[in-house]
C-alpha cells in the first residue's frame, strides 16, 4: 500500500458538485465532441485554421493572466501536404461539375438554386459556430492548465523547502570580563521557520524575568542572545533549541565571566554603558500561567465536547497576545467542521462538534510566545456510540484516500476494537459524490483487510468515502467521512513545461505540443504490481512516450504462468488512469500482465510482460504482544506496559482491554490504536481488581490476545510520606527535652515504619542526627543537651517507599528545667467528625503534670484570624475529648487545650492547625445492622482509603482492645465492629477513624431503644420464622363463595402446610378447594357454601426446613354474622343478575334547567322486559320513555316541591325474574336535592331588580327555579333581614322577593340576596339609595294612590248570575250586593241603555248595598242583556247578566253569557230539503251556578 500523503494538487483542488454542469456547458462539450468525430473536409479546414497552439502568458506568479496565442512548435509532414493537395483538387473538380450542371438546368429551377444557396450559407454559419466553440473550449483548457501549473509550482516549492531545522553556524564559547556584554550567534535554516528558545543550564531564559539583562533577536535565520553587564552568575552553558513541525535541532556554548582582582573595574575599550530599555521593549516576553485546565475527558461518539483552559497573561497586552495551538498526538489541529478553535478573554477552547473515535488521543494546548512555549496536556477518550444492532462492532476510523487517479483511488482505514463483541469479518466501503447525499456501496461482499481499491470514478468529480464494519451480529455505524478527493490524473501535470521569458514572464505549454503529430500511441512502460492481496492485484504503469494529444484508454491482459493464452481483463470498461485493480485471481497462482494503450487512431503495441505476480497478502496478521505488566498510578488509573509485537512492520497500533476480576466481561481501554507500549488506563473503579490484555493491529487484521496481566487493585501508587508537623516541647529537666509530634497527613500509601529526628542549636547551620534507628512512637526524649541553650528540631517519617521530606524547623526551645506547679501542655490535638456546625477534638494527657495529678481540661477556640478566645466548657471535663457545637458553617477555627490540677490552670497547648467547619462531601456515617447469623454490628464504609489506611474503632473515643466483648473486621473499604455478647454495658458513643484519608471519621450513639431493636432482630434471625406478606384473610367471591388465603415469602420446594378449622385438618375436596402456589407463596381454600355451621377458628400452619409460622383467623359472633350475611348477599346478587336487573340503583341528579332526575341503569334486558315507575306503590307515568336498549331509565320532576316527597320505586320484570330499586325521596335525600337545586339556581340567579307595588318596594331575584325549601337569606347593610310586617319575604317558582312595606328614609341602603348550596354561597346585591330610592318611592306613592281608588270605587261584590233562563209569565228578580265609599249610585241597563222603570220593571235599594230589579210576567220581549252600573267619585263598574225567556213546552235554551238566543229562520223554498223535526220539549232546567263576573 502506498504510504504517500495526499498530493498537493489534491489538497488545493476545488471539489465542485453537479451545479457547475449547466446546459450551456453541456452544449459546448457536445459541439466539441461532434467536431472531433467529424471527418468532413470543412471540419478539416476548421481544424487547420485553429491548429495553432493556444496558450496563456503568465506574467509573474500573482499577476493577471494576459491572453495571446503562440504558434505550435511543429511542422507538417510531406504526407499531410499531399493529402491536403488531393483534397483541394477534388473540391475544385466537384465545384466545376456543379457549375456545369447548373448552367444546363432550365430557368424554372432558379427557385431550387436559391434554396440551395441559402442552405450553403446556413452550413457556413454552423461551421463558424463550431469553430468558435472550439476556440472557447481551448481557452478554458489553457486557463485550467495554467492554474494546475501554478499549483504544481507551489507544491514543488514547498516540498523543496519544507524540512527540519538545520544549524549551519553553531554557537561559539566566550570568555569575558565581569561587566562586559557578550553576544552569542548561530544560524539555522528550515521550513516552516523554526522557533528558537534559549536555555541557561537547562533553564529557559525569559527577558521579562530580568528586564534589561537579555536581548533576543532573530533575523533571516541568524539568531542571537545578548547579555548586558555580565557577572560571575552568568557563567553557564547556554543552549539554543530550534524546532518546527518537522523536528528540532540544538547547539550550545560555554560563557565564562572573569572578575578583576582590584576593586576598580575599568570599562572595556569600546564599551558603552547600557541604557535602560523602554517599558514596551522590556516586557515583550509574556508570562503564561494556566489557571483552569482540562484533565482526562470521556465522551461518546456523536456528542459535542469542549476542552477548555483559562490562562493568566503577564503582561496582558492586546498587541502581543500569545498564539494558542492545539495538538492531537503532536499533530497540529486546524479549524474544520469537526473542530472549532477559539482563544480570547483569557480562555482557549477546542470544541468537537460531532465526536468520533478519530478524535481520541492526547491533546495538548500550547501557548506560543516570544519567550517560549507553555503547554498543558490531557487525554480524550471517545467511546463507541450505541450499536444500531445489539452486538454489532464499533465503527472504523481514520478513513484516508491514497493514490487518486482519474477513475481509481485506494481507501484505507483503521479497524475497531472488539473486546466483548464478535470479531469483525469484513468491511463495506461507501462512496458519495460531493454535493449529493447518495451513498453507493462499492463492494458487494465484505473486504477482509483495511484497504480497498475503489474503481469506476468519473474524471474531474470529487468523492468522499466512509467504511462500515461487519460481524455475525450485524453492521456497525458508518465511520467519519474522509476528506474529499478528486478523480484527477497526476501524470497530466508532469506534461506541463514552462518557458521563461525576459521580464519575469513565463509561457506554459503541454508536452504534446513538442511531440509533433502523434496518432497511434506508444506502448506503456514500467508495468508493475503496486498492491497485492489475496483477492486482487493493483497494477501501475507509466503512460506511453510519446502519447499524442488524443485521450488515451488502457486495456489490461493477463495470463496464468505456463498457459500461453492471454485474456483481456477489462474488455467492457476501458481504464483511463495508469492504475487498475485486477480481481478474481486464484490464490497461490502466478500471473503475467501486460497493458495496451488505445486512442481514436489505433492500438499501441503491448507493454513488456511483467514478471510472475502472485495474488497473496504482503502482510500477515501481527503476532500477539509479549509480557504485560500493570502498575498502580492513581486512585482511578493504572499504568499498563507491554512488550511490543516481534514484527512491527506497517503496524497500526495496539488495543488494550480490561476486565474486573471474576466478571469475565472485557471492556475497551482505548478505542483508537496506540503506537506506544506504555498506556495509562483511566476511568477505573477505586478498590476494584482488574486484569488487562493487549492485541496488535495492522491492515490485515487483529492479532491474538496477549497473556492476561496479573490482577491489580486500583489504588494510588506508593510514595514517601509527607512530613510530620506540630512539634511540641512536652517536658524539660535541664539535660533533656521530651518532644511530641503529629502523624503525617499522608502516609504515601503504606504504613509509617518510623521517624528520624534532627537537631541543631540556634544560629547553627548544620543539622545533627538525634537517632540512628527508627522511632516507632510519636514521643521521644532527646538526651545530652546543654542547659540554657536553644535548640530547634525537624522530623522526617519513612515507609516502604523511603524517607519522606523533613518537617519545617520547630520553634527554638530553651533547655531549662520545668519546676512550675501547674501541669504542662496537652499535645497531639486531633479532630474528627467535622460537620457543618460541629466537630470533635481529641488530645493527649500532658507529660508534665506539675505538683499534682491532672483533674480536667478546658477547651478554647477562636476564628483563624480573630483575637478573642472563647471557652467551650465552663467546667473542666475529665475526658480527653469534647464535641464542640454551634460553630458557623464555612468558617475556620483554631483550638487550644489547658490542663487543670490542684495548683490551677496549666500551660496552654500549641495552637492547633486551622480547621474548616464544613462537612466533607461523600463522607458516610456509621450504620447498625445484624448479619445472617444474628450478630449485631456497627459498620462503616470509606471509599477514599489507601493501602496503608486503617480503621480504628473507639468507645468514648478510647481505642477498643477488649477481645472478649468486641471483634473488629475490615474487608477492603468496609469495616465492622461486632458485639459478641451485647448488653446494657455496651451503650454509649462509638467512633471510627480512617488513617491516611485526611481525617475521615464518624461516630454513633448506641442507646437502649436501638440496642433493644437490634437484639430483637438478632433473635428473629437466630430463631427463624417464615415471613408473611399477608396474614390469613378472607374475601367473598361470586355466587357467595368464600376464599381464605395468605401469602408467605421465600418458600422453597420442600415447604409444607396444614389447613386447620376448629382443630380439624381440612383436606382438598369438592366443598373445600385448597391450592398451594410455592413460587408465589400463596395458600388458599375456597368454600362453595358458607353456612352457620362454618363458624369457628381458621388456622394455616407452614413449615419450610427449620423455619415455621402460622396465621389464624377467628370468625365468631358478629364477625361471623357479617361474613355470613355478605356471602348470602353475594349469592343472591348472583341469582339476581341472571335475569333483568339494575346495574345501578336509583339515584338523583339535578340538571342545568333545575329539573330533578331520578335515574337508574339496567342490564340483561330483552324486548319482553317490562319496566314500571311507582310512587307510594301507585303506578306513575314518566315524562321520558324508558330506554332499555341503552340501559338508562329516567323519571323527570320538572319543579320539585314538598308534594313530590315520598317513596319512588322502579321495577323490572320478565319471564327470567324481576328486580326492584327504591329511592326514599325525603329527609336527608330531599335536603341534598334542594342543595343541588340551590347550586344551579344560585349560579343562574340574576341581579336584583327593584319592583314597586301599592304596598311598598320589592326586590326580585330571578332564577331558573325557586323553592321555599332553599336556604336563602336577605341582608340590609350587612344585617340579616327576617320576615315581618315591615319586611316581607317570599317567592314564586321563577323568583324570590323581599318587600319593604311603607318604605321610609331609614330603609335606604345596600340589600343583598344570598343563596347557599352545600359548599358555596351565591350573592346578588342592589343599592337602594339616592336616585334609585327616590324613583322607587315616587312609583310606590303613585301605585298606592291607584290602589286606594280601586279599593273605594263603586263595584258589584256579588249576587248576579251570568245567565238567567226563565219561562214566560214568571216574575224575574235580579238582586246583587254593591259597595262603594262613599255610597255609589246604581243604574240598571237593558241592552246597554238605561232601563225605564214601570210597573213591569221596578228597582229597589236596601241598606245602601242591596240593589234589585224585578220584572213582572216576563215575556219574550224581555229577553236580552241587562246590566247594573255602580259608581262613585273614585269610579265604578257595570255588571251584565243575560236573560233568556222561553215558552212553556220548549226546550230550555243554552245561552252563553253575553249572547241572546237567536230566533228561528224563515221557512225555506220547496227545493230546499225539509229541516229535521224539532226535538220534543223538555222540562225547564235550573240556571247554572254563578261564576266570575266580567268587570270593566
Amino acid at each position: 500500500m502506498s504510504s504517500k500523503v495526499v498530493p498537493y494538487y489534491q489538497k488545493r483542488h476545488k471539489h465542485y458538485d453537479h451545479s457547475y454542469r449547466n446546459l450551456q456547458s453541456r452544449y459546448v462539450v457536445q459541439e466539441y465532441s461532434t467536431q472531433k468525430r467529424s471527418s468532413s473536409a470543412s471540419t478539416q479546414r476548421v481544424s487547420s485554421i485553429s491548429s495553432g497552439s493556444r496558450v496563456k502568458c503568465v506574467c509573474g506568479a500573482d499577476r493577471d493572466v494576459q491572453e495571446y496565442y503562440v504558434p505550435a512548435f511543429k511542422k507538417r509532414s510531406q504526407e499531410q501536404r499531399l493529402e491536403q493537395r488531393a483534397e483541394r483538387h477534388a473540391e475544385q473538380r466537384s465545384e466545376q461539375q456543379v457549375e456545369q450542371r447548373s448552367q444546363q438546368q432550365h430557368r424554372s429551377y432558379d427557385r431550387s438554386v436559391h434554396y440551395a444557396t441559402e442552405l450553403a450559407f446556413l452550413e457556413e454559419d454552423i461551421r463558424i459556430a463550431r469553430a468558435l466553440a472550439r476556440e472557447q473550449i481551448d481557452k478554458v483548457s489553457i486557463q485550467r492548465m495554467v492554474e494546475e501549473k501554478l499549483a504544481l509550482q507551489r507544491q514543488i516549492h514547498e516540498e523543496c523547502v519544507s524540512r527540519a531545522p538545520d544549524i549551519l553556524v553553531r554557537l561559539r564559547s566566550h570568555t569575558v570580563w565581569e561587566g562586559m556584554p557578550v553576544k552569542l550567534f548561530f544560524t539555522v535554516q528550515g521550513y516552516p521557520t523554526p522557533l528558537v528558545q534559549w536555555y541557561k543550564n537547562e533553564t529557559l531564559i525569559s527577558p521579562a524575568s530580568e528586564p534589561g539583562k537579555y536581548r533576543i533577536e532573530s533575523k533571516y535565520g541568524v539568531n542571537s542572545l545578548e547579555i548586558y553587564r555580565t557577572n560571575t552568575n552568568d557563567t553557564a552553558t547556554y543552549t539554543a533549541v530550534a524546532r518546527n513541525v518537522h523536528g528540532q535541532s540544538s547547539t550550545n556554548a560555554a560563557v565564562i565571566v572573569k572578575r578583576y582582582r582590584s576593586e576598580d573595574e575599568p570599562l572595556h575599550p569600546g564599551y558603552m554603558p547600557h541604557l535602560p530599555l523602554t517599558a514596551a521593549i522590556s516586557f515583550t516576553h509574556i508570562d503564561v500561567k494556566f489557571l483552569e485546565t482540562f484533565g482526562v475527558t470521556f465522551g461518546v461518539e456523536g456528542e459535542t465536547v469542549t476542552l477548555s483552559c483559562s490562562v493568566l497573561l503577564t503582561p496582558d497586552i492586546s498587541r502581543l497576545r500569545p498564539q494558542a495551538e492545539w495538538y492531537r498526538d503532536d499533530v497540529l489541529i486546524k479549524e474544520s467542521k469537526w473542530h472549532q478553535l477559539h482563544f480570547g478573554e483569557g480562555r482557549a477552547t477546542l470544541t468537537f462538534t460531532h465526536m468520533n473515535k478519530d478524535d481520541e488521543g492526547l491533546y495538548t494546548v500550547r501557548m506560543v510566545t516570544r519567550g517560549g512555549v507553555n503547554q498543558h496536556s490531557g487525554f480524550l477518550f471517545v467511546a463507541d456510540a450505541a450499536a444500531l444492532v445489539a452486538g454489532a462492532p464499533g465503527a472504523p476510523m481514520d478513513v484516508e484516500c491514497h493514490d487518486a487517479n482519474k477513475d481509481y483511488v485506494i481507501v484505507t482505514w483503521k479497524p475497531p476494537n472488539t473486546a466483548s463483541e464478535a470479531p469483525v469479518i469484513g468491511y463495506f466501503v461507501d462512496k458519495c459524490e460531493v454535493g449529493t447525499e447518495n451513498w453507493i456501496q462499492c463492494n458487494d461482499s465484505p473486504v477482509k483487510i483495511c484497504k480497498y481499491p475503489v474503481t469506476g470514478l468519473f474524471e474531474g468529480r470529487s468523492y468522499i468515502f466512509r467504511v462500515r464494519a461487519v460481524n455475525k451480529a450485524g453492521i456497525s455505524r458508518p465511520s467519519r467521512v474522509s476528506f474529499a478527493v478528486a478523480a484527477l490524473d497526476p501524470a497530466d501535470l508532469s506534461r506541463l513545461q514552462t518557458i521563461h521569458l525576459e521580464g519575469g514572464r513565463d509561457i506554459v505549454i503541454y508536452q504534446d505540443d513538442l511531440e509533433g503529430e502523434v496518432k497511434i500511441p506508444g506502448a506503456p512502460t514500467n508495468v508493475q504490481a503496486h498492491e497485492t492481496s489475496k483477492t486482487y492485484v493493483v497494477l501501475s504503469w507509466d503512460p506511453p512516450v510519446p502519447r499524442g494529444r488524443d485521450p488515451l484508454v488502457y486495456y489490461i491482459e493477463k495470463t496464468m504462468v505456463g498457459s500461453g493464452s492471454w485474456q483481456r481483463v477489462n474488455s467492457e470498461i476501458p481504464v483511463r488512469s495508469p492504475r487498475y485493480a485486477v480481481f478474481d485471481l486464484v490464490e497461490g497462482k502466478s500471473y503475467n500482465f501486460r497493458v495496451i494503450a488505445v486512442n481514436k487512431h489505433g492500438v499501441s503495441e503491448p507493454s513488456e510482460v511483467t514478471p510472475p505476480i502472485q495474488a497473496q497478502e504482503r502482510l500477515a496478521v501481527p503476532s500477539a504482544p509479549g509480557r504485560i505488566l500493570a502498575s498502580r498510578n492513581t486512585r482511578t488509573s493504572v499504568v499498563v506496559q507491554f512488550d511490543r509485537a516481534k514484527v512491527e512492520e506497517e503496524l497500526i497500533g495496539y488495543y488494550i482491554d480490561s476486565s474486573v476480576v471474576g466478571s469475565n466481561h472485557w471492556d475497551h481501554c482505548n478505542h483508537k490504536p496506540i503506537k506506544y507500549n506504555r498506556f495509562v488506563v483511566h476511568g477505573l473503579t477505586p478498590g476494584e481488581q482488574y486484569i488487562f490484555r493487549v492485541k496488535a493491529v495492522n491492515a490485515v487484521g487483529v492479532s491474538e490476545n496477549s497473556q492476561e496481566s496479573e490482577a491489580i487493585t486500583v489504588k494510588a501508587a506508593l510514595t514517601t510520606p509527607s512530613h510530620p508537623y506540630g512539634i511540641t516541647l512536652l517536658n524539660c529537666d535541664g539535660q533533656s527535652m521530651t518532644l511530641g509530634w503529629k502523624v503525617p497527613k499522608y502516609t504515601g500509601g503504606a504504613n509509617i515504619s518510623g521517624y528520624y529526628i534532627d537537631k541543631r542549636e540556634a544560629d547553627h547551620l548544620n543539622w545533627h542526627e538525634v537517632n540512628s534507628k527508627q522511632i516507632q512512637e510519636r514521643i521521644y526524649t532527646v538526651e545530652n543537651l546543654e542547659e540554657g541553650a536553644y535548640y530547634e528540631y525537624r522530623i522526617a517519617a519513612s515507609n516502604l517507599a523511603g524517607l519522606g521530606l523533613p518537617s519545617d524547623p520547630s520553634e527554638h526551645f530553651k533547655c531549662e528545667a520545668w519546676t512550675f506547679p501547674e501541669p504542662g501542655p496537652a499535645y497531639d490535638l486531633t479532630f474528627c467528625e467535622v460537620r457543618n456546625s460541629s466537630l470533635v477534638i481529641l488530645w493527649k494527657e500532658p507529660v508534665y503534670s506539675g505538683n499534682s495529678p491532672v483533674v480536667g481540661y478546658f477547651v478554647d477556640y477562636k476564628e483563624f484570624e480573630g483575637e478573642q478566645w472563647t471557652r467551650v466548657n465552663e467546667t473542666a471535663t475529665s475526658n480527653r475529648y469534647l464535641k464542640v457545637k454551634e460553630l458557623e458553617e464555612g468558617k475556620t477555627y483554631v483550638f487550644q487545650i489547658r490542663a487543670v490540677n490542684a495548683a490551677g490552670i496549666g500551660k496552654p497547648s500549641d495552637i492547633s492547625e486551622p480547621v474548616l467547619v464544613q462537612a466533607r462531601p461523600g463522607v458516610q456515617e456509621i450504620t447498625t445492622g445484624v448479619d445472617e447469623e444474628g450478630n449485631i454490628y456497627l459498620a462503616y464504609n470509606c471509599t477514599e482509603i489507601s493501602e496503608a489506611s486503617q480503621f480504628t474503632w473507639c468507645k468514648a473515643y478510647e481505642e477498643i482492645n477488649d477481645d472478649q466483648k468486641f471483634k473488629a473486621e475490615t474487608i477492603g473499604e468496609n469495616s465492622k465492629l461486632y458485639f459478641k455478647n451485647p448488653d446494657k454495658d455496651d451503650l454509649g458513643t462509638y467512633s471510627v477513624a480512617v488513617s491516611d484519608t485526611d481525617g475521615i471519621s464518624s461516630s454513633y450513639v448506641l442507646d437502649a431503644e436501638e440496642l433493644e431493636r437490634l437484639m430483637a432482630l438478632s433473635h428473629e434471625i437466630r430463631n427463624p420464622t417464615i415471613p408473611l406478606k399477608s396474614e390469613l384473610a378472607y374475601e367473598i367471591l361470586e355466587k357467595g363463595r368464600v376464599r381464605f388465603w395468605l401469602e408467605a415469602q421465600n418458600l422453597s420446594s420442600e415447604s409444607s402446610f396444614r389447613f386447620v378449622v376448629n382443630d380439624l385438618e381440612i383436606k382438598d375436596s369438592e366443598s373445600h378447594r385448597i391450592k398451594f402456589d410455592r413460587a408465589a407463596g400463596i395458600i388458599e381454600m375456597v368454600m362453595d357454601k358458607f353456612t352457620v355451621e362454618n363458624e369457628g377458628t381458621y388456622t394455616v400452619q407452614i413449615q419450610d426446613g427449620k423455619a415455621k409460622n402460622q396465621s389464624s383467623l377467628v370468625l365468631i359472633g358478629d364477625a361471623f354474622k357479617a361474613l355470613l350475611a355478605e356471602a348470602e348477599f353475594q349469592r343472591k346478587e348472583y341469582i339476581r343478575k341472571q335475569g333483568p336487573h339494575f346495574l345501578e340503583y336509583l339515584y338523583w341528579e339535578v340538571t342545568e334547567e333545575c329539573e330533578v332526575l331520578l335515574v337508574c341503569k339496567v342490564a340483561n334486558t330483552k324486548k319482553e322486559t317490562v319496566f314500571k315507575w311507582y310512587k307510594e306503590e301507585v303506578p306513575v307515568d314518566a315524562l321520558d320513555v324508558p330506554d332499555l336498549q341503552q340501559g338508562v331509565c329516567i323519571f323527570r320532576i320538572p319543579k320539585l316541591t314538598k308534594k313530590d316527597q315520598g317513596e319512588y320505586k322502579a321495577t323490572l320484570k320478565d319471564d327470567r325474574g324481576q328486580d326492584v330499586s327504591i329511592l326514599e325521596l325525603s329527609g336527608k335525600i330531599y335536603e341534598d336535592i334542594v342543595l343541588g337545586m340551590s347550586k344551579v339556581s344560585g349560579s343562574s340567579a340574576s341581579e336584583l331588580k327593584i319592583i314597586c307595588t301599592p304596598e311598598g318596594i320589592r326586590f326580585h331575584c330571578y332564577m331558573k327555579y325557586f323553592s321555599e325549601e332553599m336556604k336563602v337569606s336577605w341582608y340590609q347593610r350587612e344585617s340579616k333581614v327576617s320576615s315581618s310586617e315591615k319586611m316581607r319575604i317570599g317567592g314564586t317558582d321563577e323568583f324570590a322577593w323581599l318587600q319593604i312595606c311603607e318604605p321610609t328614609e331609614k330603609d335606604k341602603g345596600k340589600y343583598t340576596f344570598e343563596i347557599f348550596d352545600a359548599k358555596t354561597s351565591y350573592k346578588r346585591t342592589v343599592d337602594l339609595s339616592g336616585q334609585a330610592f327616590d324613583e322607587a318611592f315616587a312609583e310606590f306613592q303613585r301605585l298606592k294612590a291607584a290602589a286606594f281608588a280601586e279599593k273605594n270605587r263603586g263595584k258589584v261584590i256579588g249576587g248576579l248570575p251570568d245567565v238567567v233562563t226563565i219561562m214566560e209569565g214568571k216574575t224575574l228578580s235580579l238582586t246583587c250586593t254593591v259597595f262603594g265609599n262613599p255610597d255609589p249610585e246604581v243604574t240598571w241597563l237593558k241592552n246597554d241603555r238605561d232601563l225605564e222603570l214601570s210597573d213591569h220593571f221596578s228597582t229597589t235599594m236596601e241598606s245602601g248595598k242591596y240593589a234589585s230589579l224585578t220584572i213582572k210576567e216576563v215575556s219574550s220581549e224581555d229577553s236580552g242583556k241587562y246590566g247594573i252600573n255602580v259608581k262613585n267619585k273614585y269610579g265604578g263598574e257595570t255588571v251584565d247578566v243575560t236573560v233568556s225567556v222561553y215558552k212553556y213546552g220548549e226546550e230550555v235554551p243554552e245561552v252563553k253569557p253575553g249572547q241572546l238566543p237567536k230566533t228561528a229562520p224563515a221557512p225555506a223554498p220547496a227545493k230546499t230539503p225539509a229541516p229535521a223535526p224539532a226535538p220534543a220539549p223538555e222540562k225547564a232546567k235550573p240556571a247554572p251556578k254563578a261564576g266570575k263576573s266580567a268587570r270593566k
Side-chain angles (χ1 to χ4, degrees), residues 1184-1242:
D1184 301 293
V1185 178
D1187 190 353
L1188 298 183
Q1189 291 184 351
Q1190 298 296 328
V1192 179
C1193 301
I1194 298 175
F1195 187 85
R1196 190 184 305 271
I1197 305 176
K1199 294 182 179 180
L1200 183 70
T1201 62
K1202 289 184 178 181
K1203 297 179 180 179
D1204 297 316
Q1205 295 187 90
E1207 180 186 86
Y1208 289 82
K1209 181 170 68 174
T1211 62
L1212 274 173
K1213 186 176 182 181
D1214 60 19
D1215 56 353
R1216 296 170 296 170
Q1218 65 177 0
D1219 199 5
V1220 178
S1221 177
I1222 298 176
L1223 178 66
E1224 185 67 33
L1225 190 61
S1226 61
K1228 182 65 170 59
I1229 295 179
Y1230 182 79
E1231 294 175 0
D1232 292 342
I1233 296 175
V1234 172
L1235 291 176
M1237 296 167 59
S1238 300
K1239 181 177 181 180
V1240 176
S1241 298

Side-chain angles (χ1 to χ4, degrees), residues 7 201 274 715 755 784 844 859 1023 1029 1061 1092 1122 1149 1218 1250 1252 1319 1368 1375 1423 1474:
N201 290 338
H274 175 68
K715 292 182 179 179
Y755 300 91
N784 302 323
K844 290 186 177 180
V859 180
N1023 300 280
K1029 290 185 178 179
V1061 179
V1092 293
E1149 292 179 356
Q1218 65 177 0
I1250 300 176
C1252 297
K1319 298 180 180 179
E1368 282 186 340
T1375 303
S1423 297

Side-chain angles (χ1 to χ4, degrees), residues 58-66 146 149-150 153-154 504 506:
V58 182
C59 301
D62 299 326
R63 300 180 185 176
D64 296 335
V65 177
Q66 300 178 0
V146 172
K149 181 262 179 185
L150 293 176
Q153 284 184 340
R154 284 194 292 270
D506 297 334

Side-chain angles (χ1 to χ4, degrees), residues 1475-1492:
E1482 297 181 359
K1483 297 182 179 179
K1485 295 183 179 179
K1489 295 182 180 180
K1492 293 184 179 179

Side-chain angles (χ1 to χ4, degrees), residues 1171-1186:
F1171 180 88
K1172 289 185 178 181
W1173 289 100
Y1174 294 87
K1175 180 183 178 184
E1176 300 293 350
E1177 301 298 334
V1178 177
V1180 293
D1181 294 329
L1183 298 177
D1184 301 293
V1185 178

Side-chain angles (χ1 to χ4, degrees), residues 1088-1133:
D1088 288 340
K1089 294 182 180 180
F1090 194 75
T1091 63
V1092 293
E1093 298 176 356
N1094 300 121
E1095 185 176 7
T1097 302
Y1098 294 76
T1099 303
V1100 176
Q1101 299 173 349
I1102 312 174
Q1103 183 171 358
D1104 191 357
K1106 295 181 180 180
K1108 299 179 180 180
N1109 205 341
Q1110 73 174 25
S1111 180
S1112 298
L1113 183 63
V1114 179
L1115 295 176
I1116 299 175
D1118 294 338
F1120 174 76
K1121 292 178 180 178
L1123 174 58
L1124 183 63
E1126 181 67 17
E1128 184 66 22
F1129 173 76
Q1130 291 297 335
R1131 187 183 64 80
K1132 292 180 179 179
E1133 277 291 289

